[in-house]
Amino acid sequence: MPLYAFKGTQPSVSTSAYVHPTAVVIGDVKIGERCYIGPHASLRGDFGTIVIGSGSNVQDGCVLHVGVGETCWLDVDSHVGHGAIVHGAWLERNVMIGMNAVVMDDARIGESSIVAACAFVKSGLEVPSGVLFAGVPGRIVRPLSQTEISAKSTGTRIYQQLAEDCLSSLRPV
């Protein structure tokens, strides 16, 4: 597992979490239970702290970073799509960040909200719970239906199972 200590601080990874061998995890990073960290993800806790709540996934090519002395927080069941950047933001429970979206410092994404693919969330913006946020610059598009929130939760459970399956069966050939 590609874990690197930085200035005496080393990452902490739950034994039930899966971190792909090509991902890079540096410094003050805490990865909770049943998390999935995909290929080529970069989690740099060199300037501050990154916390990945249980059941969360950070997919292929994502970048998580933080400013000096700050915290990047992904609450329980966070779902960060391929190529997304989350820089010093706070994702509340059950949030989904779409592919190639960018979420900037001190932004807060409310519980069970979805940030659409390629959206831009500016620094300090607070996105309320249960909405679809899309565009560049981003804006609230509409409330999410219960069906959409349930579909997001199903997708996250699939990644929780993927973490378990990777731990038990993924092998280089």
Side-chain angles (χ1 to χ4, degrees):
M1 193 179 314
L3 305 177
Y4 298 91
F6 183 76
K7 292 187 175 181
T9 302
Q10 65 183 37
S12 168
V13 179
S14 169
T15 57
S16 65
Y18 174 76
V19 178
H20 190 274
T22 63
V24 178
V25 182
I26 299 169
D28 193 3
V29 178
K30 297 164 184 60
I31 300 173
E33 298 175 354
R34 301 175 304 124
C35 289
Y36 174 87
I37 310 300
H40 305 289
S42 175
L43 286 65
R44 283 184 41 219
D46 45 11
F47 296 157
T49 302
I50 298 171
V51 178
I52 313 293
S54 66
S56 295
N57 65 83
V58 177
Q59 298 173 16
D60 316 48
C62 290
V63 175
L64 273 59
H65 195 233
V66 63
V68 175
E70 299 295 326
T71 300
C72 182
W73 182 274
L74 280 61
D75 208 336
V76 173
D77 294 338
S78 292
H79 190 107
V80 182
H82 311 291
I85 298 171
V86 180
H87 199 280
W90 183 292
L91 310 184
E92 293 183 6
R93 177 183 284 272
N94 202 41
V95 161
M96 184 169 101
I97 306 301
M99 293 182 276
N100 290 314
V102 176
V103 184
M104 294 301 296
D105 300 274
D106 300 318
R108 188 176 188 110
I109 311 301
E111 183 172 343
S112 297
S113 282
I114 294 175
V115 173
C118 298
F120 180 77
V121 182
K122 69 180 183 177
S123 294
L125 186 70
E126 292 198 22
V127 174
S129 296
V131 300
L132 175 62
F133 186 90
V136 179
R139 62 181 178 78
I140 297 168
V141 175
R142 62 176 171 77
L144 292 169
S145 69
Q146 190 55 51
T147 300
E148 290 168 316
I149 293 170
S150 294
K152 182 273 171 201
S153 295
T154 297
T156 300
R157 283 192 299 278
I158 289 169
Y159 270 90
Q160 292 165 353
Q161 183 62 51
L162 180 60
E164 187 177 317
D165 292 345
C166 286
L167 286 170
S168 66
S169 70
L170 187 67
R171 303 286 179 263
V173 294

